[in-house]
Amino acid sequence: RPGSICRKNRPFSERASRRLEAQVLRRPDATLEELRERCGLKVSIVTVHNALKRLGFSRKKSLYVRASNAAAT
């Protein structure tokens, strides 16, 4: 299907996604570059951003928060 993402094309494994999520929860003020380095990822900054969106995070001022929490603040 056009526009759909095939799972095999995702640069993130489930394990990498969990590491990224843990880093964001530990340091919500970290930059995308810092998160990429802390997780040991060899992907672009845009890929890190897109992975965070898939995990349900959005940028709120200087912190990453779950999208459901962003509306409350």
Side-chain angles (χ1 to χ4, degrees):
R1 294 185 319 215
S4 66
I5 297 176
C6 182
R7 182 145 177 83
K8 67 180 180 181
N9 291 335
R10 283 191 181 174
F12 275 78
S13 65
E14 287 297 318
R15 186 176 179 195
S17 291
R18 286 193 306 269
R19 276 196 325 259
L20 182 61
E21 182 177 22
Q23 283 297 321
V24 171
L25 294 173
R26 215 173 280 135
R27 296 235 8 240
D29 60 337
T31 65
L32 293 171
E33 187 171 352
E34 289 171 340
L35 292 170
R36 179 177 65 175
E37 289 173 7
R38 289 177 187 276
C39 293
L41 301 170
K42 296 183 190 302
V43 296
S44 72
I45 297 295
V46 172
T47 301
V48 175
H49 170 76
N50 290 338
L52 289 172
K53 281 177 52 176
R54 273 195 309 276
L55 290 169
F57 288 98
S58 65
R59 195 78 165 162
K60 181 73 173 180
K61 297 184 184 178
S62 64
L63 301 176
Y64 275 100
V65 295
R66 293 271 184 202
S68 59
N69 294 342
T73 54

